[in-house]
Every structure is written in C-alpha cells, then in structure tokens.
Amino acid sequence: IFIGTVEEAKGIHEYNELSKLYNNLNFHAIGDGPLKKTLENDINNRINFYGLLDNDKLDAILENIDLLILPSKAEGFPKVILEAASAGVPSIVYSDYGANEWILNNDSGFVVNTFEQIKESLDLLLKNQSEIKKRSINAIKLSKNYDWKYIIKDWEKIISSLS
C-alpha cells in the first residue's frame, strides 16, 4: 500500500513502476493529489486508488495489507509509518530523511537507498512468506515505542527525577 499525497515528491511514480513490475501483487493507494487522475488513466497501472479515507476505513484496509511502500525521499517523521506499523504492516522507506533512526533495517521494515533495493526487499519477502510475518511482529513492537501511554510514562519518570 501507498499512503500519502499522490504527487511526484512522494515517489508515486516509483510505486506505479512497482505495480507494473510485480503483476502478481495487489497495489493500493490511499490519498489524493495532482497525479491521481493521470495514474488512474494509465492502462498499464495496476494500482487500486481509494482517495482520502477516514481512520476507520483506513484501519479496515490495513488489516488486509502486508507492506507499506513509501518511496518519498523528503519526509519529516511520517506518522503513516507508525500507523501502519501499529496494524502490523512493516514499511519500505528511503533513508534520505533519517528513517534508519527509528526503523531497524531488515527487522521492523526496510530502509533503502535505491529503487533497486526496494525491488530486492520485495523479492526477499516474496521468496519467503515467513519473512513478512517476522517483520509484521517487529513493526508492532516498533509502533509501541511511540505509543503515547509509554511516552507519557517516560516523561513522568524524567519529570519525577527533576524534583
């Protein structure tokens, strides 16, 4: 799945290219943007577009998704990675914006440098289905590191230590 603004800056063209290379996989895109119509009209495109969705509908879709691919090379801290991780969906993301600071590569997801490495990651998962399950469990663990109830406890400990 791709979740984000359907625009060049978010890497939607790379996601579209993957949909053409891996015709045995189902590709989904949540979001809207300037390239949505163009991609929907591409007869070789294999992406199912959903447009903008509320959280309940997104959660329902994530229940049936194995992998988030976010081919953007310019992000801050994309919360969509944590939202997907909390549903047990690991991610493939580029390293350009420091994703390796929170995603352990080849554990809770994949942090790559090139489009070729995205394909290598997909190939690894396709060859061994148990690999996706392992990363799914680790993605859930990753999301818990950023869960407010745990972060608040850490803050409380820090604040208590100041008194």
Side-chain angles (χ1 to χ4, degrees):
I1 194 165
F2 169 93
I3 303 172
T5 306
V6 184
E7 64 182 358
E8 193 167 329
K10 295 291 185 178
I12 191 65
H13 287 300
E14 286 190 10
Y15 189 73
N16 189 39
E17 186 63 28
L18 289 170
S19 79
K20 295 173 184 178
L21 293 171
Y22 291 89
N23 58 12
N24 57 327
L25 299 178
N26 296 314
F27 287 80
H28 305 272
I30 309 294
D32 202 354
L35 296 178
K36 184 178 176 213
K37 291 267 190 254
T38 301
L39 292 174
E40 284 177 325
N41 292 330
D42 179 351
I43 60 170
N44 297 313
N45 167 353
R46 299 191 54 260
I47 302 172
N48 299 306
F49 284 94
Y50 295 87
L52 299 174
L53 297 178
D54 63 35
N55 286 339
D56 291 336
K57 289 180 182 172
L58 176 59
D59 290 344
I61 289 173
L62 285 175
E63 288 177 10
N64 299 304
I65 296 296
D66 293 320
L67 190 64
L68 169 72
I69 301 174
L70 186 62
S72 173
K73 292 185 179 177
E75 292 289 332
F77 183 88
K79 71 178 186 169
V80 70
I81 292 171
L82 293 178
E83 290 171 340
S86 70
V89 179
S91 299
I92 297 177
V93 297
Y94 278 113
S95 64
D96 297 59
Y97 49 90
N100 53 354
E101 292 181 22
W102 67 88
I103 294 177
L104 185 57
N105 185 40
N106 207 12
D107 179 73
S108 54
F110 296 91
V111 182
V112 300
N113 295 308
T114 65
F115 183 72
E116 191 61 36
Q117 288 177 334
I118 292 176
K119 294 188 308 184
E120 290 168 6
S121 301
L122 282 172
D123 292 341
L124 170 76
L125 297 174
L126 288 169
K127 287 179 186 170
N128 190 346
Q129 294 294 318
S130 66
E131 293 294 320
I132 194 74
K133 182 67 174 166
K134 179 176 110 179
R135 281 160 191 79
S136 177
I137 292 166
N138 292 339
I140 292 170
K141 290 176 186 175
L142 166 73
S143 73
K144 291 183 190 265
N145 291 333
Y146 296 91
D147 189 314
W148 273 114
K149 62 185 169 191
Y150 299 113
I151 291 173
I152 297 281
K153 286 180 184 179
D154 288 343
W155 287 357
E156 287 173 345
K157 287 178 189 175
I158 293 168
I159 291 169
S160 293
S161 73
L162 297 175
S163 346

